[in-house]
Amino acid sequence: MIGAGRVGKNHSRAIVHNIAAARIVAIVDNVDPVRDETAAEFGIERQFNSLEGALEKAEFDAVVITTPTPTHLPLTAMAAEHQKHVFLEKPMALNLQECDAILDVVKKEGVLLQLGFMRRFDPEFVAAASRIEAGEIGQPMMIKSNTHGPGLPPPWARDLRTSNGMLAEVNSHDWDSTRWLMGSNYERVYAEVANFKGAAHGVDTENFYDNALVNLKFESGGLGLISGVCPCGYGYDARVEIVGEKGIMQIGSLQGQAVVVCTDRDRGLITPIYRTWPERFEWGYINELQHFVSCVQNGTTPRVGGIEGRWAVAGVLAGTRSFLEERPVYLKEILTGGPRAN
Amino acid sequence: MIGAGRVGKNHSRAIVHNIAAARIVAIVDNVDPVRDETAAEFGIERQFNSLEGALEKAEFDAVVITTPTPTHLPLTAMAAEHQKHVFLEKPMALNLQECDAILDVVKKEGVLLQLGFMRRFDPEFVAAASRIEAGEIGQPMMIKSNTHGPGLPPPWARDLRTSNGMLAEVNSHDWDSTRWLMGSNYERVYAEVANFKGAAHGVDTENFYDNALVNLKFESGGLGLISGVCPCGYGYDARVEIVGEKGIMQIGSLQGQAVVVCTDRDRGLITPIYRTWPERFEWGYINELQHFVSCVQNGTTPRVGGIEGRWAVAGVLAGTRSFLEERPVYLKEILTGGPRAN
Amino acid sequence: MIGAGRVGKNHSRAIVHNIAAARIVAIVDNVDPVRDETAAEFGIERQFNSLEGALEKAEFDAVVITTPTPTHLPLTAMAAEHQKHVFLEKPMALNLQECDAILDVVKKEGVLLQLGFMRRFDPEFVAAASRIEAGEIGQPMMIKSNTHGPGLPPPWARDLRTSNGMLAEVNSHDWDSTRWLMGSNYERVYAEVANFKGAAHGVDTENFYDNALVNLKFESGGLGLISGVCPCGYGYDARVEIVGEKGIMQIGSLQGQAVVVCTDRDRGLITPIYRTWPERFEWGYINELQHFVSCVQNGTTPRVGGIEGRWAVAGVLAGTRSFLEERPVYLKEILTGGPRAN
Amino acid sequence: MIGAGRVGKNHSRAIVHNIAAARIVAIVDNVDPVRDETAAEFGIERQFNSLEGALEKAEFDAVVITTPTPTHLPLTAMAAEHQKHVFLEKPMALNLQECDAILDVVKKEGVLLQLGFMRRFDPEFVAAASRIEAGEIGQPMMIKSNTHGPGLPPPWARDLRTSNGMLAEVNSHDWDSTRWLMGSNYERVYAEVANFKGAAHGVDTENFYDNALVNLKFESGGLGLISGVCPCGYGYDARVEIVGEKGIMQIGSLQGQAVVVCTDRDRGLITPIYRTWPERFEWGYINELQHFVSCVQNGTTPRVGGIEGRWAVAGVLAGTRSFLEERPVYLKEILTGGPRAN
């Protein structure tokens, strides 16, 4: 387990409590108190402050990388060169060159690579994808996908100089899900962004935005929308709506636990909302790691890998250029080297 | 319009605003300020403090009776003897003798009688009944119907010496709906009651209860439940659930307006609840009066009349005897003269 | 009542059955069988095949105009010049010149003008607007509004040479609602459209589209989305979602009647969807006409008039230019004469 | 793992896939093909056709008993006498004498006993119980709990000579949940039952019933309802509704996955229903076994044990006597030796 922060804790919890087939041998993080806390909470025996240390002294088959985006390429490369399979969190990288370098190294070293698009393993998304595939709503014409998250991202994740901002750090899943569920690549992207809460949060980073609406045109002719709000305060909100030639499908709901209470008719019914992403996608996180463990054990290819990660990065880059230049941006402007298949 | 209280106001609102085919000629109530207020609110020109006065001086085709239960027989008789058609609020009467007298007088005088079971005219209940009739859920096996109301009923309505208590004043609709939707008469009734809030409301009436759960056995072999809570505080709650040999049907919902808000993830989603019966059954009230007006204009028989009112009273009497004697009570003990068909 | 088609029938139904304060004196339509049918269905005594005829021979205070868009200006002008108040269906007109001419004539003649934006009178939209106004979700940051309708619009309504297409004929309400609920005018518009079903329906009109996703930037800095699909087949779907600085609000639901049925666990729960716009906005239609009647009786100004109609037309024109020219379009390009206040 | 049938498979799945802290050492079942199949499906290495065999040849800390009710006492006694902790499925036993014998043996041998009331570990039920405990809806006045199951129980489970019928085999959870959530013991029970589908299923067992409605009076004065339908065909339906002095709480929903589809406006919205108990209570089953494993590892007492199992059996016996004798039955008639505390 590389990275002991929020995502590292979340994956540790899944593995330690709910995945009988795997074990966390060691945890790597260079921030001592964070690493100590996560190790203690999940009973992880060995700790290292660098991947080098772990590679030298511990034995394991695979790594789970949950550190900030700029570290993804060097960590993946180092793990791959030591024949460790890699589970890599989204976004895959900062740009397509890094994505290509990651794809190249895992191919060369023959290790498996899975991207952390857990929505592909959420039981509701899985059922929906399979029903769309079976033709239940006909050819998809329009998709809307939103991720609104409760808290302000950390400084590195909201600055276009150190990350690709909210479109990447929050909406990566939407880029992947819309492409997956539409069964088509994006062709053209138009993005509008807004900054409503930056000042109140003391954020004066150039080009900071906390609201985004992205219009997508797919190669199939279909239309799409990605919506991002962060921080939204009211909960963790990830839903998809698809209209096909035959009908509509809604995936997910604002409602969390089915416990409804009313104690005051002037206030109304109260239902829990999903508060956080670990709560909303609890099974998605367990299932994606089960899948990775199973792939490692059986030597099979994970069903979501680097190509999917690269497409999401390409979409983010198109969306970012769109709002900076106030015009629709074609993917072919971004994918100058063309798409790649593996 | 006889009676200018809450029900009188509600029916006046429906007629004045939403029923183009009828007009309120006069309002009758012997409490001057209440009558004045209702007359002013709905622009009713003539006022009387007794039905005699109205019959003498005003011209009209029909009366709507919304006064307390003990007045139902004398008012209906007087109206019928003057050839006025009668729309009569539930419960029909205090006992079966009064029900029979009402049935007799309207039959003898040849006037129409409609009982105020507005759920029979609610679009959801109507659609449900028609789908059950069409066999969609198969033979009904089990029904549950509840009416939980927000406020404490007036003293006369909660005292077994002047009314039949909550089972009659609040749950009349459930008696009628369960019998209607099951397509069968009750055969046996067992009731449990409880008094949780009487003391806090300063009610020391003997046999007062504010919670009731009534178990029903129908002639068809089916089972039923009526549930009453009043005052419940949290809203107006009227829902039905039916299990048939082929499946389940739920009618109604706690949720009022489809406006969902969340501003705090620790508090959750907030949705309006139905606050009051006029709000929940707005269309039911309009439609039942449209139906009555249409019956009067066309001389057709209303589709819910005195026989239905009498069955509801019989159920109430069986339920009341059941909790007083702590045993199941057969309808045949109550209907000593047998059922009647008109 | 001018126009005896679908909208004319719908408004006739509301007036004849549910609006006690008004009466339809005559119906005007130049298609005899349609006019005859509507007159017969709602018991309208007098029929004319032109407004001129009605103005000459019948007495009335106001007209309800439900004919195709190109007729709006001449009919409104003629009615106004005869001192008749005007209730005018959306879209107001084909272009801003016509809108201005309508605004000018009603101002000059001193008659009232109300636009048929019934969502402004739907109880859910009204409650939502008032709660937003009261600050419940804070400053609105993002709004999404959709109208997906079941059937293919008539030929004139889907051809850019005779109407402004789906953005006008289906999505007029969204243009009005988003501007109303955001409390801000649109500043910039970007539209993507798609044609998925045209061929199957034998439509070869140039620039025909049946799917649209429109990205809005408001003067307030807020973002918006309008989504249109027609024909969508699956029902009538009109919902709004707003995210404010403090939280989220959802208005409307796919679910129609609260009657839930399950008879087969492999098929799942079945709930009615709203099938048509008259069903979804039944109260909106009654209430907007009640409001108009009340304004006419009291000489007060309707709360949604020509200025609102003109803004919706301006948005439509910007959206249409956007997808034709594949670029974001500023409202200032459309409103060359600038906004007007009355 | 003792018993390789449906419940044995379900618990095996949870342990093998999702409980990292425990391992199934061996499986016991005397039906060879069933045992072989379950062992193969979950990779369980050792198989025995009796508990004696397993005790002799395998090493383990605890047993999970999922065999039919009449075997519960002898298997528990044998395990306890070999110092194995016991996780025992509901219903605990056929009568109070057996319950007492189980309580006595585990006490004497000092082993832990947990009853399989998984609803006590379902996240929704847990949250609800804790919110009731915290006073959110005030003093509970009325509870309704239902379990409607899809399939016909096996012959032994629907015959009053070999089990306590549906009230025990299907509704055991409701007996436990109502008592738990009301915070009070039952005082009086009245049950109505019906047999609608027996003939069609070729069941001619005396006293067979497939519908039950049980009215409960609690020591606190509160009222309750247990409803059972089996087979109901339409899905697995387990919901609770509680009205307290301050308000209402609903736990659970018919709706399974939040995937809503509509392809035909005449058919309506389609949402998955919970099909089976393993699906509805997936987390409840994982969590109850996690709790048991943790109790065994730490030597702590499970939070639902034999006393709870015994109360559920007492309720079942009262309910059964009630419908056989057609009268309300007091728990004091059943608990002739009085309640016991450990």
Side-chain angles (χ1 to χ4, degrees):
Chain A
M1 179 64 54
I2 308 177
R6 288 190 313 161
V7 180
K9 270 182 213 270
N10 183 55
H11 288 338
S12 297
R13 182 180 305 111
I15 295 172
V16 168
H17 289 309
N18 294 116
I19 299 181
R23 200 163 61 84
I24 302 178
V25 169
I27 187 158
V28 174
D29 200 302
N30 61 10
V31 183
D32 293 357
V34 169
R35 193 188 60 234
D36 287 351
E37 184 194 315
T38 302
E41 182 173 352
F42 299 105
I44 303 170
E45 288 180 18
R46 309 192 65 176
Q47 301 188 34
F48 298 95
N49 55 27
S50 72
L51 176 56
E52 288 90 335
L55 286 166
E56 193 177 327
K57 303 200 177 151
E59 293 199 0
F60 50 93
D61 299 313
V63 296
V64 174
I65 300 176
T66 69
T67 45
T69 317
T71 67
H72 287 187
L73 169 56
L75 288 171
T76 301
M78 185 182 298
E81 284 155 8
H82 287 79
Q83 302 304 308
K84 308 301 181 193
H85 302 293
V86 177
F87 181 98
L88 178 61
E89 264 309 308
K90 39 64 35 184
M92 187 176 179
L94 288 174
N95 53 53
L96 296 182
Q97 292 70 38
E98 290 181 6
C99 290
D100 286 335
I102 289 175
L103 281 163
D104 290 342
V105 74
V106 300
K107 190 177 177 190
K108 171 165 172 259
E109 300 294 342
V111 298
L112 302 176
L113 173 66
Q114 182 172 332
L115 261 286
F117 291 127
M118 80 290 181
R119 293 187 193 177
R120 295 221 186 200
F121 297 89
D122 171 70
E124 290 173 353
F125 277 73
V126 168
S130 136
R131 291 167 67 177
I132 293 169
E133 179 85 19
E136 190 169 327
I137 58 165
Q139 161 83 356
M141 304 191 297
M142 185 188 279
I143 190 166
K144 296 168 187 163
S145 177
N146 73 300
T147 306
H148 301 173
L152 187 66
W156 69 266
R158 62 194 191 225
D159 189 332
L160 289 187
R161 291 162 302 191
T162 49
S163 80
N164 287 311
M166 186 174 76
L167 283 183
E169 297 299 329
V170 174
N171 291 114
S172 266
H173 300 294
D174 304 283
W175 291 101
D176 183 57
S177 295
T178 53
R179 185 176 156 269
W180 172 43
L181 296 169
M182 288 296 280
S184 179
N185 296 320
Y186 348 106
E187 177 181 310
R188 182 164 67 184
V189 169
Y190 178 80
E192 290 278 7
V193 300
N195 173 357
F196 271 91
K197 299 183 176 175
H201 284 91
V203 180
D204 57 2
T205 318
E206 196 186 8
N207 292 314
F208 171 78
Y209 59 95
D210 47 21
N211 280 256
L213 271 186
V214 187
N215 225 329
L216 307 172
K217 178 90 173 184
F218 290 87
E219 291 173 359
S220 67
L223 308 181
L225 176 82
I226 291 175
S227 142
V229 182
C230 200
C232 73
Y234 67 80
Y236 179 73
D237 178 4
R239 290 168 288 140
V240 171
E241 195 165 298
I242 313 173
V243 182
E245 291 192 356
K246 291 189 194 163
I248 191 170
M249 177 183 283
Q250 297 179 312
I251 313 171
S253 160
L254 278 177
Q255 183 181 329
Q257 284 189 330
V259 177
V260 179
V261 169
C262 184
T263 56
D264 179 348
R265 62 178 174 160
D266 293 320
R267 202 167 148 205
L269 296 165
I270 298 179
T271 315
I273 193 170
Y274 284 113
R275 296 180 72 264
T276 60
W277 42 267
E279 183 189 334
R280 166 62 184 90
F281 287 109
E282 188 164 24
W283 274 115
Y285 288 111
I286 292 173
N287 292 344
E288 69 172 358
L289 288 164
Q290 294 265 33
H291 178 71
F292 180 62
V293 169
S294 163
C295 286
V296 168
Q297 290 176 331
N298 303 318
T300 50
T301 304
R303 61 184 172 80
V304 53
I307 296 299
E308 283 73 30
R310 186 178 186 267
W311 266 106
V313 171
V316 167
L317 295 171
T320 303
R321 188 180 297 179
S322 171
F323 76 76
L324 289 174
E325 302 184 2
E326 302 189 330
R327 64 173 182 91
V329 170
Y330 286 80
L331 263 290
K332 65 186 174 200
E333 302 176 50
I334 303 294
L335 296 162
T336 47
R340 58 182 285 177
N342 62 40
Chain B
M1 180 64 53
I2 308 177
R6 288 191 312 162
V7 180
K9 269 183 214 270
N10 183 56
H11 288 339
S12 296
R13 181 178 308 111
I15 296 172
V16 168
H17 289 309
N18 294 117
I19 300 182
R23 201 163 62 83
I24 303 179
V25 169
I27 187 158
V28 173
D29 201 302
N30 61 10
V31 183
D32 293 356
V34 169
R35 193 188 60 234
D36 287 350
E37 184 195 314
T38 302
E41 183 172 352
F42 300 104
I44 303 170
E45 289 181 16
R46 307 191 67 176
Q47 301 187 36
F48 299 94
N49 55 27
S50 72
L51 175 56
E52 288 90 335
L55 288 167
E56 194 177 328
K57 303 200 180 150
E59 293 200 358
F60 50 93
D61 299 313
V63 296
V64 174
I65 299 176
T66 69
T67 46
T69 317
T71 68
H72 287 186
L73 169 56
L75 288 171
T76 302
M78 186 183 297
E81 285 155 6
H82 288 77
Q83 302 304 310
K84 307 303 181 192
H85 303 294
V86 177
F87 181 97
L88 178 60
E89 265 309 308
K90 41 62 38 182
M92 186 176 179
L94 289 174
N95 53 53
L96 297 182
Q97 292 69 39
E98 289 181 4
C99 292
D100 286 335
I102 288 174
L103 281 163
D104 291 340
V105 74
V106 299
K107 189 178 178 189
K108 173 163 169 259
E109 301 294 343
V111 298
L112 302 176
L113 173 67
Q114 181 172 332
L115 261 285
F117 291 127
M118 80 290 181
R119 293 187 193 177
R120 295 220 186 200
F121 297 88
D122 172 69
E124 290 173 353
F125 276 73
V126 168
S130 136
R131 292 167 66 177
I132 293 169
E133 179 86 20
E136 191 169 326
I137 59 165
Q139 161 83 357
M141 303 192 298
M142 184 188 280
I143 190 166
K144 296 168 187 163
S145 178
N146 72 302
T147 306
H148 301 173
L152 188 66
W156 70 266
R158 62 197 192 223
D159 188 333
L160 289 188
R161 290 162 303 190
T162 50
S163 79
N164 287 310
M166 186 175 76
L167 283 184
E169 297 299 331
V170 173
N171 292 114
S172 266
H173 300 295
D174 303 283
W175 292 100
D176 182 56
S177 295
T178 53
R179 186 176 156 269
W180 171 42
L181 296 168
M182 289 295 280
S184 178
N185 297 319
Y186 347 107
E187 177 180 311
R188 183 164 66 185
V189 169
Y190 178 80
E192 290 278 9
V193 300
N195 173 358
F196 270 91
K197 298 184 177 176
H201 284 91
V203 179
D204 58 0
T205 318
E206 196 185 8
N207 292 315
F208 170 77
Y209 59 96
D210 47 22
N211 281 256
L213 271 186
V214 186
N215 224 330
L216 307 172
K217 178 90 173 186
F218 289 87
E219 291 172 359
S220 66
L223 308 181
L225 176 82
I226 291 175
S227 143
V229 181
C230 202
C232 73
Y234 67 82
Y236 179 74
D237 178 3
R239 290 168 289 139
V240 170
E241 195 165 298
I242 312 173
V243 181
E245 291 191 357
K246 293 189 193 163
I248 191 170
M249 176 182 284
Q250 296 179 312
I251 313 171
S253 161
L254 277 177
Q255 184 181 329
Q257 285 188 330
V259 177
V260 179
V261 169
C262 184
T263 55
D264 179 347
R265 63 180 174 157
D266 293 320
R267 202 169 149 203
L269 296 164
I270 299 180
T271 314
I273 193 170
Y274 285 113
R275 297 180 71 263
T276 60
W277 41 269
E279 183 189 334
R280 166 63 184 89
F281 287 109
E282 189 165 22
W283 275 115
Y285 288 112
I286 293 173
N287 292 344
E288 69 173 358
L289 288 164
Q290 295 265 34
H291 179 71
F292 180 61
V293 168
S294 162
C295 287
V296 167
Q297 289 176 330
N298 303 317
T300 51
T301 305
R303 63 185 171 79
V304 51
I307 296 299
E308 283 72 30
R310 186 178 186 267
W311 266 106
V313 171
V316 167
L317 295 172
T320 303
R321 189 181 294 180
S322 170
F323 76 75
L324 290 175
E325 301 185 2
E326 302 189 331
R327 66 173 182 89
V329 170
Y330 288 80
L331 264 289
K332 66 186 174 199
E333 302 177 51
I334 303 294
L335 296 162
T336 47
R340 58 182 285 176
N342 62 38
Chain C
M1 180 64 53
I2 308 178
R6 287 190 315 160
V7 181
K9 270 184 214 268
N10 183 55
H11 288 338
S12 297
R13 182 179 306 111
I15 295 173
V16 168
H17 289 310
N18 293 118
I19 299 183
R23 201 163 61 84
I24 303 178
V25 169
I27 188 158
V28 174
D29 201 302
N30 60 10
V31 184
D32 293 356
V34 170
R35 192 188 61 233
D36 287 350
E37 184 194 315
T38 303
E41 182 173 352
F42 300 106
I44 303 171
E45 291 180 15
R46 308 191 65 178
Q47 301 187 34
F48 299 95
N49 56 27
S50 72
L51 176 56
E52 288 90 336
L55 287 166
E56 195 178 326
K57 302 199 181 153
E59 293 200 358
F60 50 93
D61 299 313
V63 295
V64 174
I65 299 176
T66 69
T67 46
T69 317
T71 68
H72 287 187
L73 170 57
L75 288 172
T76 301
M78 185 182 299
E81 284 156 7
H82 286 78
Q83 302 304 310
K84 308 302 181 192
H85 302 293
V86 177
F87 181 98
L88 178 61
E89 264 309 309
K90 40 63 35 183
M92 187 176 178
L94 289 174
N95 54 51
L96 296 182
Q97 291 71 38
E98 289 181 6
C99 291
D100 286 335
I102 289 175
L103 281 163
D104 290 341
V105 73
V106 299
K107 190 177 177 190
K108 172 163 170 261
E109 300 295 342
V111 298
L112 302 176
L113 173 66
Q114 181 172 331
L115 262 285
F117 291 127
M118 79 291 182
R119 293 187 193 177
R120 295 221 185 201
F121 296 88
D122 172 69
E124 290 173 353
F125 277 73
V126 167
S130 136
R131 291 167 66 176
I132 293 168
E133 178 86 20
E136 192 169 325
I137 59 165
Q139 162 82 358
M141 303 191 300
M142 184 187 280
I143 190 166
K144 295 168 189 163
S145 178
N146 72 303
T147 305
H148 301 174
L152 187 67
W156 69 266
R158 60 195 192 225
D159 189 332
L160 288 188
R161 290 163 302 190
T162 49
S163 80
N164 287 309
M166 186 175 76
L167 283 183
E169 297 300 329
V170 174
N171 291 115
S172 266
H173 300 295
D174 304 282
W175 290 100
D176 183 57
S177 294
T178 53
R179 184 175 157 270
W180 171 44
L181 296 169
M182 288 296 280
S184 179
N185 296 320
Y186 348 105
E187 178 181 310
R188 185 163 65 184
V189 168
Y190 178 81
E192 291 277 8
V193 300
N195 173 358
F196 271 91
K197 299 184 178 177
H201 284 91
V203 180
D204 59 1
T205 318
E206 195 186 10
N207 292 314
F208 171 76
Y209 59 96
D210 48 20
N211 280 255
L213 271 187
V214 187
N215 223 328
L216 307 172
K217 178 90 171 185
F218 290 87
E219 292 173 357
S220 67
L223 308 180
L225 175 82
I226 290 175
S227 143
V229 181
C230 201
C232 73
Y234 66 82
Y236 178 74
D237 178 4
R239 290 167 290 139
V240 171
E241 195 165 298
I242 312 172
V243 181
E245 291 192 357
K246 292 188 193 164
I248 191 171
M249 176 182 284
Q250 297 179 313
I251 313 171
S253 161
L254 278 178
Q255 183 182 332
Q257 284 189 330
V259 176
V260 179
V261 168
C262 184
T263 56
D264 178 347
R265 61 179 175 159
D266 293 320
R267 201 168 149 206
L269 296 165
I270 298 179
T271 315
I273 194 170
Y274 285 112
R275 297 180 71 264
T276 59
W277 42 267
E279 183 189 335
R280 167 61 184 89
F281 287 109
E282 188 164 24
W283 275 115
Y285 288 111
I286 293 173
N287 292 344
E288 69 173 358
L289 288 165
Q290 293 266 32
H291 178 70
F292 179 62
V293 168
S294 163
C295 286
V296 167
Q297 290 176 331
N298 303 315
T300 50
T301 304
R303 60 186 173 77
V304 51
I307 296 300
E308 284 72 30
R310 186 179 185 266
W311 266 106
V313 172
V316 167
L317 295 171
T320 303
R321 189 180 296 178
S322 171
F323 76 75
L324 289 174
E325 302 184 3
E326 301 190 332
R327 66 173 181 89
V329 170
Y330 287 80
L331 264 289
K332 66 186 174 199
E333 303 177 50
I334 304 294
L335 296 162
T336 47
R340 59 182 285 176
N342 62 39
Chain D
M1 179 64 54
I2 309 177
R6 288 190 311 160
V7 180
K9 270 184 214 270
N10 183 55
H11 289 338
S12 297
R13 182 179 306 111
I15 294 172
V16 168
H17 290 308
N18 293 118
I19 299 182
R23 202 164 61 84
I24 303 178
V25 169
I27 188 158
V28 174
D29 200 302
N30 60 11
V31 183
D32 293 356
V34 170
R35 192 189 60 234
D36 287 349
E37 183 195 315
T38 302
E41 182 173 353
F42 300 105
I44 303 170
E45 291 180 15
R46 308 192 65 176
Q47 300 187 36
F48 299 94
N49 56 26
S50 72
L51 176 55
E52 288 90 334
L55 286 166
E56 195 177 326
K57 303 201 178 150
E59 292 200 1
F60 50 92
D61 299 313
V63 296
V64 174
I65 300 175
T66 69
T67 45
T69 316
T71 68
H72 287 187
L73 170 57
L75 288 171
T76 301
M78 185 183 299
E81 284 156 8
H82 287 78
Q83 302 304 309
K84 308 302 181 194
H85 302 294
V86 178
F87 181 97
L88 179 60
E89 264 308 309
K90 41 62 37 181
M92 187 176 178
L94 288 174
N95 54 52
L96 296 182
Q97 292 69 38
E98 289 181 6
C99 291
D100 286 335
I102 288 175
L103 281 163
D104 290 341
V105 73
V106 300
K107 189 179 178 189
K108 173 165 170 260
E109 300 295 343
V111 298
L112 302 176
L113 173 67
Q114 181 172 332
L115 262 286
F117 291 127
M118 79 291 181
R119 294 187 192 176
R120 296 222 186 200
F121 296 88
D122 171 70
E124 289 173 353
F125 276 73
V126 167
S130 137
R131 291 167 66 176
I132 294 168
E133 179 86 19
E136 191 169 326
I137 57 163
Q139 162 82 359
M141 303 192 298
M142 185 187 279
I143 190 166
K144 296 168 188 164
S145 178
N146 72 302
T147 305
H148 301 172
L152 188 66
W156 69 265
R158 61 194 192 223
D159 189 331
L160 289 187
R161 290 163 303 191
T162 49
S163 80
N164 287 310
M166 185 175 76
L167 283 184
E169 296 300 330
V170 174
N171 292 115
S172 266
H173 300 294
D174 303 283
W175 292 99
D176 183 57
S177 294
T178 52
R179 185 177 157 267
W180 171 43
L181 296 169
M182 288 296 280
S184 178
N185 297 319
Y186 349 104
E187 179 181 310
R188 184 164 66 185
V189 169
Y190 178 81
E192 290 277 9
V193 300
N195 173 358
F196 271 91
K197 300 183 177 176
H201 284 91
V203 180
D204 59 0
T205 318
E206 194 185 10
N207 293 313
F208 170 77
Y209 59 95
D210 47 21
N211 281 256
L213 271 186
V214 186
N215 223 328
L216 307 172
K217 177 91 174 185
F218 289 88
E219 291 173 357
S220 67
L223 308 181
L225 176 83
I226 290 175
S227 141
V229 182
C230 201
C232 73
Y234 66 83
Y236 179 73
D237 178 4
R239 290 168 290 139
V240 171
E241 193 165 299
I242 313 172
V243 182
E245 291 192 355
K246 292 188 194 163
I248 191 170
M249 175 182 284
Q250 296 179 312
I251 313 172
S253 161
L254 277 177
Q255 184 182 330
Q257 283 189 330
V259 176
V260 179
V261 169
C262 184
T263 56
D264 179 347
R265 62 179 175 159
D266 293 320
R267 200 167 150 207
L269 296 164
I270 298 180
T271 315
I273 193 169
Y274 285 112
R275 296 180 72 265
T276 59
W277 42 267
E279 182 189 336
R280 166 62 185 91
F281 287 109
E282 187 164 24
W283 275 115
Y285 288 111
I286 292 172
N287 291 345
E288 69 172 0
L289 288 164
Q290 293 266 32
H291 178 71
F292 180 62
V293 168
S294 163
C295 286
V296 168
Q297 289 176 331
N298 303 316
T300 51
T301 304
R303 61 186 172 79
V304 51
I307 296 299
E308 283 72 30
R310 185 178 187 267
W311 267 105
V313 172
V316 167
L317 295 172
T320 303
R321 188 180 296 179
S322 171
F323 76 75
L324 290 174
E325 302 185 2
E326 302 190 329
R327 66 172 181 89
V329 169
Y330 287 79
L331 264 289
K332 67 186 173 198
E333 302 177 50
I334 304 294
L335 296 163
T336 48
R340 58 182 285 177
N342 63 37

